[in-house]
Amino acid sequence: MKRSTLALLPFLMILGSAAQAQDDVAACTLIRIDQYYGLKEWDCRVPNTPVRISNIYTDKEGQKRVESISSQQNAMCDDQGICSNSGSFAGNAPGGSYHYTFGWYLGTDTNGNPVSYKNGIGPGFGGKYFNTPTKSAPAEPSTSLPEVVCMPTATFNCSIDGKEIEDKDLPKYLPVVEEQGVKKAGGSCESVPLCFDKGMILLGLNKKFF
């Protein structure tokens, strides 16, 4: 019986290490892309983290203190991949706007996708990049939609494949979709009047405007 227990220990240790590695990395989810500037906004926060957390710090007199702070941190990453949180270094990730958890920093996985790492772990501390398995490319949709650019002012001011289109004629070129269904599937209709899936692939026009 003792031999069986000892034989299981290395296996259990391997499982524990894998679970720990996963707990030290949080994937980033694309929230939206700014329709004017193309700036990507990412959510890299650790799931189920309380809105406010307790932070232990040392005051000027050397005394340990506890303060309640927001768990969410915000950072901007430039085109060189350098991220800053109000002037403080926040990691290295593709250009864009980021939300992440206090005590973590921004980085990338082995595929170059943005993730957040727990402080003390990962490439920012001499460790390895998180190895994310490469996903197979999704099948191309049977009917691809044309290239659409909209610059809403008093009208939607859309062009399709470089040709300006009147608002009332847009449904002739693009399908009309329900905003509720798009959001339920993780997509967004914030880029008026267009709706995109969670991978920022164009789905069509927001039905509430047509």
Side-chain angles (χ1 to χ4, degrees):
M1 189 68 179
K2 290 183 179 178
R3 289 181 180 177
S4 298
T5 302
L6 291 173
L8 282 173
L9 284 176
F11 177 67
L12 292 174
M13 290 174 68
I14 291 172
L15 285 180
S17 298
Q20 182 62 39
Q22 185 65 47
D23 291 342
D24 294 334
V25 182
C28 296
T29 302
L30 182 63
I31 300 174
R32 70 187 186 95
I33 300 178
D34 187 278
Q35 61 182 335
Y36 296 109
Y37 303 106
L39 183 72
K40 293 183 178 181
E41 182 178 358
W42 298 89
D43 184 356
C44 308
R45 293 174 294 177
V46 178
N48 303 318
T49 299
V51 175
R52 299 196 68 80
I53 57 175
S54 296
N55 176 49
I56 301 175
Y57 70 100
T58 303
D59 64 18
K60 295 179 180 179
E61 285 72 37
Q63 298 295 317
K64 295 285 186 180
R65 303 288 184 183
V66 179
E67 61 180 347
S68 175
I69 63 172
S70 171
S71 64
Q72 177 177 306
Q73 301 290 293
N74 304 307
M76 289 291 295
C77 300
D78 61 23
D79 293 337
Q80 284 71 49
I82 300 174
C83 307
S84 174
N85 178 349
S86 299
S88 298
F89 182 68
N92 297 97
S97 169
Y98 290 82
H99 309 294
Y100 63 105
T101 301
F102 179 81
W104 292 58
Y105 69 96
L106 300 170
T108 59
D109 60 15
T110 51
N111 295 324
N113 300 313
V115 296
S116 63
Y117 292 93
K118 191 174 184 180
N119 283 345
I121 301 297
F125 291 83
K128 295 182 179 180
Y129 287 86
F130 180 64
N131 185 15
T132 303
T134 304
K135 297 180 180 178
S136 57
E140 290 293 328
S142 55
T143 304
S144 59
L145 297 180
E147 181 180 351
V148 185
V149 177
C150 297
M151 301 290 284
T153 51
T155 62
F156 294 135
N157 193 20
C158 296
S159 63
I160 295 180
D161 290 336
K163 178 184 176 182
E164 292 187 9
I165 306 296
E166 295 287 338
D167 289 357
K168 61 183 178 62
D169 293 329
L170 287 172
K172 296 179 182 179
Y173 299 85
L174 299 169
V176 177
V177 296
E178 295 278 357
E179 181 174 1
Q180 183 177 359
V182 171
K183 288 184 175 180
K184 188 174 182 180
S188 169
C189 292
E190 292 185 14
S191 298
V192 178
L194 307 175
C195 291
F196 296 82
D197 68 11
K198 59 184 178 181
M200 292 308 295
I201 302 300
L202 178 63
L203 297 175
L205 301 166
N206 190 333
K207 185 177 179 180
K208 75 179 182 181
F209 296 115
F210 297 91

